[in-house]
Amino acid sequence: MTSIVDVKKETGAILDKLGVPRSAWTGGDMASFSPVTGEEIARLPAMSSGNCGAAIDSAETAFKAWRKVPAPRRGELVRLLGEELRAAKDDLGRLVSIEAGKIPSEGAGEVQEMIDICDFAVGLSRQLYGLTIATERPGHRMMETWHPLGVVGVITAFNFPVAVWSWNTALALVCGNSVVWKPSEKSSLTALACQAILERALKRFGDAPDNLMQVLIGDRDAGEAIVDNPKVALVSATGSTRMGREVGPRLAKRFARAILELGGNNGGIVCPSADVDMTLRAVAFGAMGTAGQRCTSMRRLFVHESLYDKLVPRLKAAYESVSIGNPLETSALVGPLIDKLAFDNMQKALEAAKAAGGSVTGGERIAEAGKDTAYYVRPAIVEMPDQTGPVLEETFAPILYVMKYSDFDAAIQAHNAVGAGLSSSIFTLDMQEAEQFLSDEGSDCGIANVNIGTSGAEIGGAFGGEKETGGGRESGSDAWKAYMRRATNTVNYSKQLPLAQGVSFDIE
Ligand code: NAD
């Protein structure tokens, strides 16, 4: 089919409407492409590492002013950001579809997630509680206080181009920090749009310091400028495990705080009592949704032998019939892969799976939008004899490896026998199986679900995973604590100086 929408023109119209200056996205040396058609849609000026350093200096100055603003007042800025995001939801959601290739409901859903975290953070701005702790010394009081931390560096991946920024930034701002953000080089236009939206909130807020949140446009060099700068107190880095392996040791070297949100290889176990209809829908969304380009996408499925022939043929039929197409002008459920590299990696993984005895349904390229520069694929379902070869690694594409199991304990063991530890699911109506899966002997992931898929988390919970997923947590629950400095305070209001643990040190 031929594309009717002029993607480049529409991108420009949205950026103009949102108030992004043209100098930020035209005439630069960093090309930006839309996966919808594969065409170039903008040229951004990338920042030198010197410019990144200067931005971080100014972020430090902003931090020193912002930390003095009372937290509930800081929350007011985030409340205004939520309002501006509500007003810009359609435009920003559409830009997410253009830049990341998401279908409209997922583009809009990503912006909704931003609005949700703003609401959460506004409430949090009045709840940055510390504990009061019993002390062993008479006439003493012990407590914890939470202080702003400093400049927070945020590095994001292409596939959640705006939500991950908001998870970090809404919390960082109410916690009294300034932010420097290095978006993916594959999705920097949405970052410029977010900055423009935040600028509107800042204007209404009135007296926030300059440079409270800055976008640093560039490739990994700009990311490294954040990672290696001693003025950045915390780096929240989202991306591949490969990136985490580079970034983690560099942050450790300078004792910086790190939130690492890395790759996933998420699995599900389908037990004999599972509701097959519900499981089918959950697996279909988890594995094919967002064209398999979510960190939480379902990639491995262990199906009990008693259900295998009931579930897997239906799943294969769903794979064969799912609608694939241009998300800007069709109601397809599966949009494009981000680029040729993603397509090549998918094909390599499928070849490796075949070589390891896998039987592949789907995976072929689909001609779409009249362009050979866009990469649409039919999601692939691969029946594997064992969990070997490519099954052990995350391939960031819609491939679901399906394996048969007979013993539940062995299925849990196989589920856990991969490097990543992000998200997991069990489908069962058997309470003992569900509880075992959630127990300390069950799933080893940061997210473990019952009767829902691996993807589509809400902002209220802490988000992140274990092992090669990096161990970081962001978004809800008490994730805010990583964005603050904890001080334990002991106050002596007596006229004595008793020492803890009965130590005596009496000088004349
Ligand atoms: P990527 O690792 O290629 O890039 C992510 C970001 O890191 C980009 O902004 C990139 O410029 C930057 N970067 C790369 N190398 C760097 C370095 N050495 N120093 C500093 N910055 C560096 O990932 P991607 O292809 O954009 O995204 C897909 C990956 O992200 C998948 O593995 C996916 O699972 C993961 N992801 C994880 C989460 C999560 O919360 N766990 C969320 C989204 C995506």
Side-chain angles (χ1 to χ4, degrees):
M1 87 176 253
T2 311
S3 178
I4 303 160
V5 173
D6 183 333
V7 180
K8 188 171 181 179
K9 205 166 155 195
E10 187 173 350
T11 304
I14 295 174
L15 293 171
D16 283 343
K17 186 173 169 198
L18 291 176
V20 181
R22 288 204 165 202
S23 58
W25 54 276
T26 54
D29 48 5
M30 199 176 98
S32 170
F33 299 89
S34 168
V36 173
T37 56
E39 71 198 273
E40 185 179 308
I41 49 174
R43 287 213 148 245
L44 295 80
M47 287 171 74
S48 67
S49 55
N51 287 343
C52 292
I56 292 167
D57 287 347
S58 67
E60 191 189 36
T61 307
F63 161 68
K64 286 182 178 160
W66 187 241
R67 68 180 169 185
K68 289 192 257 178
V69 176
R73 172 86 183 123
R74 299 194 298 248
E76 171 62 6
L77 173 61
V78 175
R79 193 187 69 75
L80 293 169
L81 173 60
E83 279 190 4
E84 293 297 339
L85 284 167
R86 282 177 171 86
K89 184 174 172 182
D90 290 349
D91 291 322
L92 188 56
R94 182 84 174 166
L95 199 57
V96 169
S97 290
I98 289 174
E99 206 176 30
K102 293 194 179 189
I103 62 172
S105 69
E106 292 193 64
E110 185 164 345
V111 183
Q112 185 57 48
E113 207 170 335
M114 305 172 81
I115 294 166
D116 294 344
I117 193 72
C118 286
D119 287 353
F120 178 91
V122 174
L124 186 64
S125 70
R126 292 180 185 269
Q127 299 175 79
L128 301 171
Y129 302 139
L131 297 173
T132 304
I133 300 157
T135 147
E136 65 192 55
R137 286 169 280 186
H140 283 56
R141 185 164 66 84
M142 187 158 54
M143 62 185 178
E144 280 180 350
T145 44
W146 292 88
H147 301 284
L149 186 66
V151 179
V152 172
V154 180
I155 296 173
T156 52
F158 80 83
N159 66 318
F160 272 91
V162 291
V164 171
W165 166 73
S166 70
W167 291 359
N168 284 284
T169 300
L171 295 197
L173 290 177
V174 298
C175 290
N177 305 309
S178 58
V179 175
V180 286
W181 175 23
K182 209 300 278 179
S184 165
E185 49 276 47
K186 295 178 186 174
S187 59
S188 294
L189 292 176
T190 39
L192 295 174
C194 290
Q195 190 173 35
I197 292 165
L198 177 63
E199 288 301 331
R200 279 206 282 281
L202 283 162
K203 204 165 166 198
R204 288 170 63 195
F205 181 80
D207 56 354
D210 291 342
N211 306 313
L212 193 53
M213 200 305 291
Q214 300 169 81
V215 175
L216 309 187
I217 296 294
D219 56 16
R220 69 166 63 180
D221 290 348
E224 285 171 3
I226 291 177
V227 169
D228 293 336
N229 192 314
K231 290 184 175 171
V232 181
L234 161 68
V235 175
S236 173
T238 298
S240 57
T241 295
R242 178 206 59 74
M243 178 274 279
R245 279 192 212 289
E246 290 166 11
V247 164
R250 290 167 86 141
L251 292 172
K253 196 169 171 194
R254 66 175 182 87
F255 299 103
R257 223 181 259 191
I259 297 176
L260 296 179
E261 299 280 351
L262 310 175
N265 188 0
N266 316 294
I269 300 178
V270 186
C271 301
S273 65
D275 175 330
V276 175
D277 290 344
M278 203 167 73
T279 303
L280 184 76
R281 285 177 48 217
V283 172
F285 171 64
M288 294 193 282
T290 330
Q293 298 170 113
R294 286 193 186 216
C295 53
T296 51
S297 289
M298 187 174 277
R299 309 201 180 280
R300 298 175 295 134
L301 195 66
F302 301 92
V303 184
H304 190 264
E305 57 189 4
S306 64
L307 266 191
Y308 198 89
D309 292 338
K310 277 192 205 140
L311 178 69
V312 178
R314 287 181 66 188
L315 208 46
K316 279 161 78 173
Y319 269 69
E320 278 162 2
S321 64
V322 72
S323 51
I324 302 156
N326 179 330
L328 302 181
E329 49 197 55
T330 71
S331 55
L333 294 179
V334 177
L337 293 177
I338 188 72
D339 56 17
K340 180 174 187 305
L341 180 64
F343 174 74
D344 290 345
N345 287 341
M346 179 176 180
Q347 299 310 311
K348 265 188 229 154
L350 291 177
E351 286 308 317
K354 278 185 208 157
S359 156
V360 177
T361 304
E364 69 275 13
R365 193 168 172 197
I366 308 270
E368 179 57 314
K371 304 267 181 187
D372 61 4
T373 43
Y375 290 86
Y376 292 80
V377 286
R378 178 155 299 282
I381 183 162
V382 185
E383 292 178 87
M384 290 294 293
D386 288 306
Q387 182 165 254
T388 49
V391 189
L392 297 168
E393 302 291 330
E394 176 193 57
T395 299
F396 214 54
I399 304 177
L400 178 68
Y401 298 105
V402 183
M403 288 151 285
K404 202 181 270 184
Y405 82 89
S406 53
D407 175 67
F408 184 59
D409 290 336
I412 291 185
Q413 217 180 336
H415 171 273
N416 291 346
V418 293
L422 180 52
S423 187
S424 58
S425 298
I426 188 168
F427 298 92
T428 182
L429 300 181
D430 178 325
M431 188 264 255
Q432 288 176 333
E433 283 173 342
E435 289 293 334
Q436 188 179 336
F437 185 74
L438 300 182
S439 77
D440 48 12
E441 292 178 347
S443 161
D444 62 0
C445 293
I447 298 170
N449 295 332
V450 178
N451 292 331
I452 60 168
T454 50
S455 63
E458 296 178 26
I459 60 91
F463 183 90
E466 302 302 326
K467 305 190 295 184
E468 291 179 5
T469 303
R473 291 295 184 280
E474 58 193 13
S475 191
S477 184
D478 64 351
W480 62 271
K481 290 179 175 172
Y483 300 78
M484 298 201 87
R485 173 170 66 78
R486 180 198 319 236
T488 302
N489 312 125
T490 308
V491 179
N492 177 5
Y493 59 91
S494 76
K495 295 200 164 47
Q496 311 299 320
L497 190 69
L499 301 180
Q501 296 91 38
V503 172
S504 61
F505 197 85
D506 294 325
I507 53 170
E508 286 304 313

